[in-house]
Amino acid sequence: MILPELIISLNVMIFITGVIIPLGIEKPLNMLKLPLISSIAAMLLSAVYFFCLHNSDPVLFFGGNFIIDKLAFYHIMIVNIVFLAAGIYMQEYFAKSMETDEHTAFHYRRFSMLWQGFQLMLIIVILSNNIGLSWVAMEATTILSAFLIISESDSLSLEAMWKYLLICSVGIGLAFIGTILVAAGGINTFSELYIHAEELNPKLILFAFIFIAVGYGTKAGLSPMHSWLPDAHSQAPTPVSAVFSGVMLNAALFIIMRYLPIVERAGGGSGEAHSILLLTGFLSLLFAAVFIPIQTDLKRLLAYCSVEHVGIIAIGIGLGGLGTTAALLHCLNHSLSKMLAFFASGSVIHEYGTRDMRKITGLMKRMPMWGTAFMVSMLALMGVAPFSIFISEFLIVKTAFTGGQYLLFGLFMLGTLAIFISMLKFTLEIAFKQGKPGKLTGRVGIADKAIIIISVAVLLLFGLWLPPDFFGFLEQAAQIIEGGLI
Amino acid sequence: MIINICLSIAAALVLSPLLGGIINKTKAFYAGRKGSPVLQLYFDLFKLFRKESVISTSATFIFQAAPAIIFTSTLAATIFVPFIPGLPAPSFTCDFILLFYLLGLSRFFLIISALDTGSSFEGMGASREAFFSALAEPVTFVTILTMLRLGGGTSIQAAFRGLSSESWIIIILTAVPFFIVMLAENARIPFDDPNTHLELTMIHEVMLLDNSGANLALMEWAASIKLWLFSLIIVKILLPAEILTPAAYTGLTILAVPAVAVITGTVESVMARASLLKVPQLLFSAGIIAFLGFFLSLNQFLGW
Amino acid sequence: MIKFKLSSLPIFSESEFREKALGLTSSGCRISSFFASAVEGKRKLYLVLSDDEAGTVQVITTQPAAVPGNSGELSFHTLTTENPAFHLFEREIFEQSGIRPEGHPWLKPVRYPDRRPAETDFFRVEGSEIHQVAVGPVHAGIIEPGHFRFQCHGETVYHLETAHGFQHRGIETNLIGGPRPADLCKIEVTAGDSSIAHSTAYCRILEVLSETAPPARAEAIRAIALELERCANHIGDLGALAGDIGYLPTSSYCGRIRGDFLNMSALICGNRFGRGVIQPGGTGFDLSDKIKEQLLARLSAGRDDFISAVSLLWDSPTVLARFESTGTVSQEASEQIGMVGPAARASGCGRDIRQNHPSGIYRTDCPKIAVSDKGDVFSRAWVRWLEVKESIDFIEKLLQGLPSGDVFIDGAQKPAADTLAVSLVEGWRGEVCHTAITGTDGRFSSYKIVDPSFHNWFGLALALRDEQISDFPVCNKSFNLSYCGFDL
Amino acid sequence: MQHNLLILISLLIILSNLFLLGSSRTRAMLRGIAAQGVLLSILPFLFPMHKSGLVSIIVPAVLSITIKAILIPYFLHRVIQRVNTENALNPYIGYPVSVIIGLLISYGSFLFIEKLPFSYLSISPFTTSAAFASILIGMLIISTRRNVIAQIIGYLVFENAGFILGISISSTMPLFIEIGIMLDLLAGIFIMVVAVSRIHILFDSVGTQKLERLNK
């Protein structure tokens, strides 16, 4: 089967040319077109291999170092969608900030190159079957994305970048130790490891998984190693915040998902690995519940909200069964709504000139379009009924309840409720509190309108009616995590 | 046993002034100079013994008695580290305490004789000496304990017996801190500068400022015997006795002790003297290494 | 160098003088010299202020008022309380002329303990655990005499007071009535290691007073001699610093290299300290092409030796640990007390006469000024290291582009009458300031020398504050101030 | 012989860790970490049983000596020169105390290493426990130092621990991944170094106390 190799090579080539071309471009706006073009190309390619491979078994290629299966495909889709949307949004966003900032072509060139490298590395993370390669690519995302944070170069973003760099490097270092311990047996691909899992030393693998969970969990923003996340997400330029929240956290969780069946199979299904995820998931939820009410910065609020949702995904996977499917669905829902929320807040912050939520009032009247987008995305993030996050959260709660884990159920409800109340208060004040009169000139381009409308539509659609084919696809992907198909 | 004691004392008396000469020659080599003759200290001692002592009017009998006490107690300490293996040597339970307490006695008299002169410089030197030796003492005892732990006895002989080529890791972790202690106890760089003329920075030399003639000679001689003793202990740590015949071992020792002096001279040449504030840190590092050795000896990791 | 007709110098009233002095010193001017002089029986105060930014020198004068009830005694209101840089100058004025600075906080004699009725005890820190340590005037090494009194608490120094005057020779009084041919020899030994700096300053006074300009070749040779002196002394000090911390390699190599540089001076004039090179109106010696070639060869060898010997210092972590953060003088303190020379530049005050008040060859070309900002022993050593390298380059440049022509022009021996002249030279230790006043007969009625040590001794005291007493030798060496230059 | 060498290297690694914990001067720390890099590059030769072929021994050794002992210390040296870092930044835990903690950590890892599930994999418990102690000591340095360069060096200690573990217990990574790991490290340090110069330009200091404005 030569096809996947060809497609992946093409994909890599696209990004490599994408990284090289900006060197020859002078106009900043043109440099920013490139990420968009390569995202579209990547999107088309992934569509191609979806049609070729969506019904087949997992495909190994490049000497078994890469794999495409449903789980990987699903995540690739999320990566491509978010990057595409962010690529579109970016055009308007930087065009606006170009009017005021004194950034040189150098900044935009660097941004364009790093952005595409970042996307490529995320795709490699997801397609990798080799545990070492996963690690290398994950570490590379840290390195490449560090400078995306300080595109708006001021002291706070520099501080955020430093924390991101240091904490994530240490986290990834821990994951490295875990990776080595897993590879100690002499096998270093996920698929082989799963096949030979029963021959592995269960204690060793569990011990290694702790390192892996903490390590990649750091990058995923799971508590207690999440402290870089609010800083980096809030200080980065909005498109970067969107891909951090929407994609990078998922990708880090994705590696943990890859390890999960191996650990469980090695341990004879003892469920210890799941418990670790449950624990960190609840810790994250708790942290978010404590810190969200005291926020004043809009983007920090969204960042803590990411901690919450990553926690929820971890809880879903930790619960297993239907919870895993729900968690996968939650990945997409969260990415879409968080992306939209960041886009909206980015525009709002730009127009109001402040990130202090106490100073942003009367949004619905002053910026109707972005206001609506903001309202919808915030409501979705809170888990309000007609939107899709409600469905995924509901499924997770249901899993906990039907599984008889009432304590977990109670804790989950308590945490989400606390977050719901404080976020609702913030959202309502921003949207409807009497503010200064007069509309703001926030332009909304055609592309922006399209993003808003499509995202809202998908969020609503999945909330009201989940296509059975899609759900079936998700269930099959979840089976991989559960240890069924590989 | 008497023979061995006599030999130890004789070797210490005769050979010890050589070490200072070797150190100075080494330093001169690194500094690109010719340097004073290796036997310079012998000449100095000879000269000083022929001179009369001038004694400050403010000094009491302590000042006059101190040189003799310092000299004899330092010399007495040497008998516990026999020069020739194989022959019976004085050895009893916890004799290492006596050894270091004899050195302590000489230090005590050095300090009070310095204070006795009433000079402000010598007072400062005495207080520094007291402070730093208090820091060096625990390190010494930890290294001895490490060796005793391996040797399974409680005397110095047992301590040296315990070391073998098997336990080379312990040997390193004992010899290095002991070497640092040696530099501190014998007023070498980086702890003290034996060549300086700056009263305000000296430790050991400043305490001898008021001594002259035979008294000064005794003090200098005692200092070189102390250096000899410490070098000999280091050689004994580094060269486990079991590997050679007594004769060969003795020969090797005679070569190795000057080698320690050469190493000391090298250290003095490549390092600057540390600020007095840093001296506790240096001794602290020595202590850390000594403790590492002690921990390793506790668990017998060597069997791994 | 600059001169003023005495009649053109306005005499301010005391309050005007005070206002002007404080105003100028607070707006960037530095006290180069402050002294009392009796011209035609009227005792006046002369304050020489140099403005480093503008490169100008000003002189303001006043006539102090008589003390009521005591017709013979004069007094003025002290300026020390407003600006600490006046402290030592006022004490000196009181000692030399008897004009009392009223309200001076510590009116102790500077050199002669018995000349005036005054406080002679040392400043004492009270407390039962405070002890005093007295060092000198006779020291253990071969150094000049000076007394140091430390107020210590354990090993920590709370205060250091220096006492001088053990080798005063009365140079300033000796010069009155000059110029005489023998005076140059006295000037050359004002501070023996700064012969060139002092003799240049003296010759410039004579030249400006007689309006003779030395030929360009002479100016170049003067600069070469001055920079050689700087190199030799800095190298010697770097070696001595290494010796003080027991780092023998650099110490012994630098001792030799210093000799090499002294021998280069000897190559020019036959004397290792450059005696006789500088003459009023030019130089006493010319550089033949052979000597020039020889100098160039020796310089490049000397530079290699110097760099390899001193690099050992910077490569040795124990040396750096010993130097860094030892004996720190902050930039603020350095500005306040008016420090000069490498010590000031090590504290971040980039003042250098060669750049700020250039004369001679320095008007057209000037080595790069080395500045460091920590103010510790390391910085003072580092500044010297940079200066030596710069100076060697500068000497090479001068040698290669040596102007042709004579090295001497006659006529500098007849100063104008009734004139005040100031000359500033950057010696290796810092600013050397000579001020001369001529009487109606064209002879010196007053001659004032300020050696850089005069400005800097108090800096050493500040460097020692809250430091270990065992750090004194290395701090002292990093300043390496002159005793006889102070005592005069 | 090989066994003894392993013990010696482990011991030197532990001592260099303690040295790093105890030194306040960033330049001294730099020497310590470069020395560690040299020690690491000897290790691949001592675990030949894990490797197939000479290339897979030499490549990691050469990479480690060029990257860990030469390139990274060089970057850091350059940045230290540029930022003129202040040494007297009081750490959260004093130097002597952190050395004692480091000593106890090292001793503890000797004691407990046999109880950990991977001890059976290694032929030299000495090396493994040295690596394990390095992980903790690296984290200790990162979390207690206020100087960003010291933090980078702590991170390097931590990375070195991973390298030692990798060499001593597993070897199945394809060569291209080992190269990738090293290049990642190099790039990461390079980015950190660039960040440090920016921090220095913006804050005029490389202390972390000015990097504490973002919290909550």
Side-chain angles (χ1 to χ4, degrees):
Chain A
M1 190 93 148
I2 194 73
L3 190 61
E5 278 151 17
L6 188 71
I7 290 173
I8 300 304
S9 307
L10 266 176
N11 211 335
V12 171
M13 288 304 295
I14 289 169
F15 284 108
I16 289 177
T17 34
V19 169
I20 294 169
I21 289 176
L23 292 173
I25 299 182
E26 287 304 318
K27 260 188 87 181
L29 272 178
N30 292 346
M31 287 177 209
L32 292 173
K33 295 253 159 50
L34 277 167
L36 182 58
I37 295 167
S38 42
S39 292
I40 293 171
M43 193 77 189
L44 291 175
L45 276 176
S46 54
V48 170
Y49 50 76
F50 176 70
F51 283 113
C52 300
L53 302 172
H54 73 282
N55 274 330
S56 66
D57 285 336
V59 183
L60 294 175
F61 54 102
F62 283 131
N65 285 321
F66 287 87
I67 188 169
I68 294 184
D69 56 11
K70 298 200 167 59
L71 187 60
F73 183 74
Y74 179 63
H75 277 92
I76 288 273
M77 284 308 287
I78 298 179
V79 169
N80 283 337
I81 290 169
V82 176
F83 265 95
L84 182 59
I88 296 168
Y89 177 79
M90 189 158 81
Q91 312 297 324
E92 198 74 16
Y93 180 84
F94 281 116
K96 264 186 249 168
S97 66
M98 239 175 262
E99 293 160 11
T100 52
D101 283 1
E102 68 279 12
H103 283 324
T104 54
F106 169 77
H107 287 89
Y108 291 102
R109 181 175 298 131
R110 190 182 67 192
F111 184 88
S112 168
M113 291 164 77
L114 289 174
W115 175 274
Q116 296 179 70
F118 183 39
Q119 186 178 359
L120 174 64
M121 282 306 150
L122 284 169
I123 289 175
I124 291 178
V125 166
I126 289 164
L127 290 180
S128 159
N129 190 29
N130 186 306
I131 56 177
L133 184 62
S134 297
W135 184 86
V136 170
M138 201 69 217
E139 167 77 0
T141 60
T142 312
I143 296 164
L144 289 172
S145 54
F147 264 95
L148 293 177
I149 297 177
I150 55 162
S151 300
E152 288 165 8
S153 167
D154 61 12
S155 59
L156 286 178
S157 70
L158 191 58
E159 178 186 339
M161 171 201 174
W162 181 253
K163 281 189 184 170
Y164 171 66
L165 204 52
L166 199 71
I167 297 174
C168 283
S169 297
V170 171
I172 296 279
L174 288 173
F176 180 59
I177 288 155
T179 310
I180 285 166
L181 292 177
V182 172
I187 311 171
N188 56 24
T189 57
F190 288 116
S191 45
E192 288 289 308
L193 276 167
Y194 182 71
I195 292 165
H196 299 285
E198 277 156 347
E199 301 153 27
L200 298 171
N201 177 343
K203 265 194 182 160
L204 173 67
I205 296 292
L206 187 67
F207 187 76
F209 184 71
I210 294 173
F211 276 86
I212 285 164
V214 174
Y216 290 123
T218 306
K219 198 76 198 281
L222 282 172
S223 276
M225 304 272 283
H226 67 279
S227 56
W228 63 272
L229 192 146
D231 301 342
H233 286 219
S234 62
Q235 296 305 320
T238 300
V240 179
S241 311
V243 292
F244 269 30
S245 256
V247 178
M248 197 176 74
L249 308 185
N250 288 350
L253 271 177
F254 171 83
I255 301 182
I256 298 179
M257 293 180 204
R258 282 279 191 216
Y259 276 104
L260 199 63
I262 299 165
V263 183
E264 282 303 340
R265 190 156 173 213
S270 62
E272 276 160 333
H274 282 95
S275 321
I276 292 169
L277 281 181
L278 273 180
L279 185 71
T280 54
F282 271 108
L283 260 181
S284 310
L285 191 60
L286 209 72
F287 260 102
V290 171
F291 279 96
I292 282 181
I294 58 169
Q295 293 309 313
T296 53
D297 181 321
L298 182 53
K299 283 178 97 176
R300 274 186 100 75
L301 174 76
L302 293 176
Y304 273 105
C305 182
S306 294
V307 176
E308 177 211 348
H309 285 280
V310 169
I312 290 175
I313 297 171
I315 291 170
I317 298 167
L319 284 169
L322 181 61
T324 312
T325 320
L328 285 179
L329 179 60
H330 200 90
C331 286
L332 177 66
N333 294 338
H334 169 242
S335 296
L336 283 180
S337 42
K338 183 55 65 60
M339 175 189 96
L340 192 59
F342 267 119
F343 291 167
S345 60
S347 303
V348 169
I349 286 166
H350 188 265
E351 291 304 326
Y352 277 76
T354 176
R355 311 147 72 115
D356 192 337
M357 289 188 284
R358 291 163 298 192
K359 291 182 187 153
I360 304 175
T361 46
L363 182 63
M364 287 305 275
K365 277 193 186 145
R366 302 187 73 187
M367 292 173 73
M369 191 72 191
W370 280 121
T372 317
F374 182 75
M375 270 293 283
V376 170
S377 59
M378 288 304 269
L379 287 175
L381 286 172
M382 283 175 238
V384 172
F387 301 108
S388 57
I389 284 189
F390 172 75
I391 300 293
S392 47
E393 283 189 13
F394 173 77
L395 288 175
I396 290 170
V397 173
K398 190 179 146 201
T399 320
F401 195 77
T402 50
Q405 289 165 306
Y406 299 116
L407 179 65
L408 296 187
F409 170 77
L411 277 175
F412 189 91
M413 293 307 284
L414 206 67
T416 43
L417 192 68
I419 292 168
F420 175 79
I421 292 169
S422 43
M423 282 196 37
L424 188 65
K425 175 175 152 276
F426 287 135
T427 314
L428 292 180
E429 276 180 8
I430 288 173
F432 298 114
K433 191 177 172 184
Q434 203 61 38
K436 282 183 200 151
K439 280 206 173 185
L440 285 165
T441 54
R443 290 186 302 258
V444 190
I446 294 280
D448 285 347
K449 274 184 191 147
I451 297 177
I452 295 169
I453 291 166
I454 293 172
S455 319
V456 171
V458 172
L459 287 175
L460 265 176
L461 177 75
F462 283 9
L464 296 172
W465 173 74
L466 209 54
D469 282 355
F470 179 64
F471 196 72
F473 181 82
L474 279 186
E475 276 182 325
Q476 284 173 344
Q479 282 263 290
I480 296 170
I481 304 175
E482 288 292 289
L485 289 168
I486 202 157
Chain B
M1 192 189 297
I2 297 295
I3 300 172
N4 207 351
I5 291 175
C6 291
L7 272 174
S8 296
I9 290 179
L13 280 176
V14 175
L15 296 177
S16 63
L18 195 62
L19 294 183
I22 295 174
I23 291 177
N24 284 338
K25 203 75 184 170
T26 314
K27 287 168 77 170
F29 169 76
Y30 279 101
R33 293 183 300 131
K34 221 169 147 189
S36 50
V38 178
L39 298 181
Q40 185 61 45
L41 200 50
Y42 293 98
F43 305 150
D44 286 350
L45 289 177
F46 184 67
K47 176 188 75 186
L48 286 172
F49 271 119
R50 290 187 308 163
K51 288 194 169 186
E52 66 165 331
S53 287
V54 180
I55 289 162
S56 155
T57 48
S58 68
T60 64
F61 71 97
I62 294 175
F63 179 76
Q64 301 192 37
I69 298 173
I70 292 166
F71 182 75
T72 43
S73 58
T74 312
L75 196 59
T78 58
I79 64 171
F80 294 104
V81 187
F83 192 61
I84 298 171
L87 291 175
S91 171
F92 45 86
T93 307
C94 292
D95 54 1
F96 64 91
I97 296 181
L98 181 58
L99 192 167
F100 287 104
Y101 274 40
L102 278 171
L103 293 178
L105 183 71
S106 81
R107 177 181 302 122
F108 175 73
F109 272 93
L110 184 61
I111 288 172
I112 61 167
S113 81
L115 289 172
D116 193 41
T117 61
S119 146
S120 58
F121 299 134
E122 296 194 37
M124 279 195 301
S127 95
R128 289 168 187 165
E129 171 85 14
F131 178 43
F132 296 147
S133 61
L135 293 172
E137 198 126 290
V139 185
T140 322
F141 278 105
V142 172
T143 56
I144 299 285
L145 277 179
T146 310
M147 291 193 284
L148 286 177
R149 164 85 200 164
L150 292 184
T154 50
S155 69
I156 296 170
Q157 299 308 315
F160 290 139
R161 246 196 333 271
L163 299 169
S164 64
S165 50
E166 287 282 291
S167 56
W168 60 272
I169 187 164
I170 301 287
I171 291 181
I172 292 176
L173 291 178
T174 314
V176 170
F178 202 85
F179 183 72
I180 298 174
V181 168
M182 182 195 98
L183 295 179
E185 289 270 344
N186 291 289
R188 317 301 315 183
I189 286 174
F191 296 93
D192 190 5
D193 185 357
N195 296 102
T196 186
H197 60 264
L198 306 162
E199 316 93 329
L200 291 175
T201 66
M202 291 194 256
I203 302 176
H204 179 78
E205 296 297 311
V206 78
M207 291 191 287
L208 312 184
L209 279 184
D210 268 52
N211 289 284
S212 53
N215 282 350
L216 181 58
L218 280 178
M219 293 283 217
E220 297 275 4
W221 205 352
S224 56
I225 291 173
K226 193 174 169 190
L227 181 62
W228 163 265
L229 178 62
F230 274 83
S231 309
L232 196 58
I233 293 177
I234 287 178
V235 169
K236 293 242 166 205
I237 293 173
L238 286 174
L239 297 176
E242 106 274 12
I243 51 173
L244 293 167
T245 61
Y249 189 81
T250 312
L252 201 58
T253 311
I254 289 176
L255 290 178
V257 173
V260 173
V262 171
I263 295 171
T264 312
T266 310
V267 168
E268 289 200 26
S269 303
V270 299
M271 282 184 90
R273 194 206 159 166
S275 158
L276 283 184
L277 284 174
K278 296 278 165 59
V279 168
Q281 284 181 26
L282 285 168
L283 287 170
F284 175 78
S285 334
I288 289 293
I289 300 173
F291 262 105
L292 196 61
F294 182 62
F295 282 152
L296 288 184
S297 75
L298 275 185
N299 280 68
Q300 301 283 316
F301 279 97
L302 309 162
W304 282 17
Chain C
M1 47 181 184
I2 187 165
K3 66 173 175 176
F4 304 92
K5 269 282 176 221
L6 276 185
S7 52
S8 73
L9 278 179
I11 298 168
F12 297 103
S13 73
E14 202 209 306
S15 59
E16 274 175 339
F17 173 80
R18 182 181 171 77
E19 197 179 307
K20 235 175 151 46
L22 292 175
L24 285 170
T25 48
S26 65
S27 65
C29 284
R30 206 161 38 76
I31 309 164
S32 283
S33 187
F34 185 29
F35 60 97
S37 156
V39 180
E40 295 162 2
K42 284 183 193 162
R43 284 185 288 174
K44 287 186 206 146
L45 295 175
Y46 295 86
L47 175 60
V48 181
L49 293 166
S50 46
D51 186 337
D52 291 331
E53 295 269 315
T56 56
V57 174
Q58 299 183 43
V59 179
I60 55 175
T61 57
T62 183
Q63 197 154 13
V67 177
N70 186 345
S71 58
E73 198 168 327
L74 303 178
S75 79
F76 64 104
H77 199 284
T78 183
L79 297 156
T80 306
T81 44
E82 308 297 325
N83 184 341
F86 283 100
H87 170 88
L88 201 55
F89 286 105
E90 288 184 347
R91 277 167 62 182
E92 190 190 28
I93 287 170
F94 178 60
E95 182 181 75
Q96 292 182 339
S97 69
I99 303 173
R100 179 181 287 274
E102 288 296 345
H104 191 284
W106 192 248
L107 198 56
K108 191 179 159 176
V110 181
R111 304 178 182 98
Y112 303 88
D114 47 358
R115 193 177 271 185
R116 307 273 167 206
E119 178 71 43
T120 51
D121 209 357
F122 288 96
F123 183 82
R124 283 195 73 153
V125 178
E126 293 299 333
S128 58
E129 292 187 11
I130 303 293
H131 62 98
Q132 290 193 48
V133 178
V135 182
V138 180
H139 297 278
I142 307 167
I143 53 173
E144 297 177 81
H147 179 82
F148 303 97
R149 187 67 64 93
F150 297 90
Q151 311 289 325
C152 293
H153 179 229
E155 297 267 340
T156 312
V157 178
Y158 281 176
H159 183 67
L160 159 65
E161 190 169 348
T162 54
H164 296 279
F166 297 97
Q167 51 181 356
H168 46 71
R169 293 148 292 164
I171 290 181
E172 287 174 349
T173 38
N174 252 318
L175 290 169
I176 293 174
R180 289 172 288 255
D183 285 349
L184 188 59
C185 300
K186 292 173 195 157
I187 288 288
E188 279 173 340
V189 294
T190 305
D193 50 13
S194 305
S195 322
I196 304 285
H198 277 286
S199 54
T200 309
Y202 174 75
C203 292
R204 287 210 190 290
I205 290 269
L206 291 181
E207 284 154 13
V208 72
L209 283 174
S210 61
E211 293 192 335
T212 39
R217 189 173 175 89
E219 290 289 10
I221 295 175
R222 280 181 180 188
I224 290 169
L226 186 63
E227 298 300 328
L228 277 177
E229 180 175 87
R230 189 184 317 282
C231 292
N233 282 294
H234 282 347
I235 293 169
D237 283 351
L238 285 168
L241 271 172
D244 272 8
I245 57 165
Y247 192 69
L248 289 183
T250 305
S251 163
S252 29
Y253 286 120
C254 278
R256 196 207 80 216
I257 301 163
R258 168 175 177 263
D260 291 346
F261 276 83
L262 289 176
N263 287 341
M264 289 183 216
S265 295
L267 192 64
I268 298 176
C269 65
N271 180 295
R272 306 211 322 154
F273 296 96
R275 307 267 153 86
V277 176
I278 317 288
Q279 297 289 340
T283 56
F285 298 87
D286 194 4
L287 288 184
S288 69
D289 283 350
K290 201 176 134 209
I291 290 181
K292 202 173 100 180
E293 291 310 315
Q294 234 177 325
L295 268 181
L296 280 171
R298 288 201 199 177
L299 265 179
S300 93
R303 171 176 27 222
D304 294 347
D305 287 352
F306 167 72
I307 287 177
S308 63
V310 179
S311 296
L312 289 176
L313 279 185
W314 318 131
D315 289 342
S316 167
T318 51
V319 171
L320 295 181
R322 185 75 185 91
F323 280 176
E324 280 180 0
S325 314
T326 302
T328 308
V329 183
S330 68
Q331 180 170 5
E332 194 193 354
S334 163
E335 300 270 6
Q336 264 184 7
I337 64 168
M339 270 164 62
V340 296
R345 291 194 283 278
S347 296
C349 308
R351 51 177 68 135
D352 190 315
I353 300 303
R354 291 175 292 170
Q355 187 184 51
N356 303 129
H357 306 274
S359 56
I361 204 87
Y362 296 107
R363 284 209 190 93
T364 49
D365 195 2
C366 177
K368 204 170 141 236
I369 303 308
V371 182
S372 178
D373 54 357
K374 297 268 167 51
D376 50 9
V377 173
F378 170 78
S379 287
R380 286 188 283 274
W382 185 252
V383 163
R384 285 161 188 248
W385 152 256
L386 296 177
E387 283 188 5
V388 172
K389 289 197 294 183
E390 282 295 333
S391 291
I392 295 177
D393 290 347
F394 189 63
I395 299 171
E396 283 188 340
K397 208 155 100 188
L398 287 178
L399 280 173
Q400 273 149 2
L402 205 60
S404 54
D406 282 340
V407 293
F408 187 77
I409 180 167
D410 214 8
Q413 296 292 353
K414 294 193 176 54
D418 285 328
T419 312
L420 180 148
V422 179
S423 107
L424 295 173
V425 172
E426 184 78 14
W428 67 272
R429 204 179 260 129
E431 173 193 279
V432 170
C433 174
H434 286 207
T435 314
I437 302 175
T438 51
T440 43
D441 54 352
R443 304 217 154 252
F444 293 141
S445 64
S446 174
Y447 199 96
K448 180 73 203 146
I449 297 171
V450 182
D451 190 79
S453 309
F454 197 81
H455 298 280
N456 283 4
W457 270 111
F458 195 62
L460 174 62
L462 288 185
L464 254 285
R465 289 246 164 115
D466 291 327
E467 292 280 338
Q468 299 283 294
I469 191 170
S470 58
D471 288 343
F472 172 70
V474 70
C475 288
N476 187 23
K477 201 73 74 189
S478 72
F479 280 88
N480 193 10
L481 299 174
S482 172
Y483 299 65
C484 65
F486 182 96
D487 288 346
L488 298 175
Chain D
M1 178 61 199
Q2 182 223 24
H3 184 64
N4 280 346
L5 257 179
L6 277 177
I7 293 179
L8 183 65
I9 287 178
S10 322
L11 199 67
L12 289 176
I13 287 170
I14 288 173
L15 284 176
S16 63
N17 283 341
L18 295 179
F19 171 74
L20 290 175
L21 278 174
S23 50
S24 57
R25 300 170 50 78
T26 41
R27 278 169 210 273
M29 290 183 91
L30 206 56
R31 280 165 209 260
I33 202 71
Q36 235 179 42
V38 174
L39 290 174
L40 293 189
S41 57
I42 305 171
L43 278 178
F45 296 99
L46 301 178
F47 289 97
M49 72 297 287
H50 280 152
K51 298 289 180 182
S52 50
L54 201 59
V55 176
S56 59
I57 293 176
I58 288 177
V59 170
V62 169
L63 277 179
S64 127
I65 204 157
T66 45
I67 290 180
K68 294 194 168 179
I70 298 170
L71 278 177
I72 289 177
Y74 173 72
F75 285 161
L76 289 174
H77 177 72
R78 286 286 303 275
V79 79
I80 288 172
Q81 269 187 335
R82 196 166 336 129
V83 306
N84 224 338
T85 172
E86 56 263 61
N87 293 314
L89 289 170
N90 290 336
Y92 294 105
I93 297 179
Y95 298 107
V97 179
S98 43
V99 174
I100 290 173
I101 294 174
L103 186 68
L104 293 178
I105 286 174
S106 309
Y107 180 51
S109 60
F110 276 121
L111 277 187
F112 293 115
I113 202 72
E114 289 204 303
K115 304 210 167 55
L116 290 178
F118 55 81
S119 58
Y120 72 97
L121 289 164
S122 175
I123 51 161
S124 170
F126 256 103
T127 325
T128 324
S129 41
F132 213 70
S134 297
I135 296 175
L136 297 175
I137 288 172
M139 284 172 132
L140 186 69
I141 294 177
I142 293 172
S143 52
T144 60
R145 294 298 150 90
R146 290 180 199 244
N147 181 326
V148 288
I149 292 168
Q151 286 183 337
I152 294 181
I153 289 173
Y155 171 64
L156 281 170
V157 171
F158 179 80
E159 276 289 328
N160 286 349
F163 183 86
I164 304 169
L165 267 187
I167 287 285
S168 63
I169 68 175
S170 79
S171 58
T172 55
M173 289 297 167
L175 208 53
F176 79 92
I177 287 178
E178 285 199 20
I179 295 171
I181 290 167
M182 283 291 189
L183 290 183
D184 265 355
L185 178 66
L186 184 64
I189 295 294
F190 182 72
I191 297 277
M192 283 186 188
V193 163
V194 173
V196 168
S197 356
R198 286 192 169 220
I199 288 172
H200 179 249
I201 291 166
L202 218 51
F203 296 103
D204 202 28
S205 149
V206 288
T208 53
Q209 66 271 36
K210 294 200 178 154
L211 295 176
E212 281 163 11
R213 286 196 293 160
L214 286 173
N215 39 35
K216 269 201 299 182

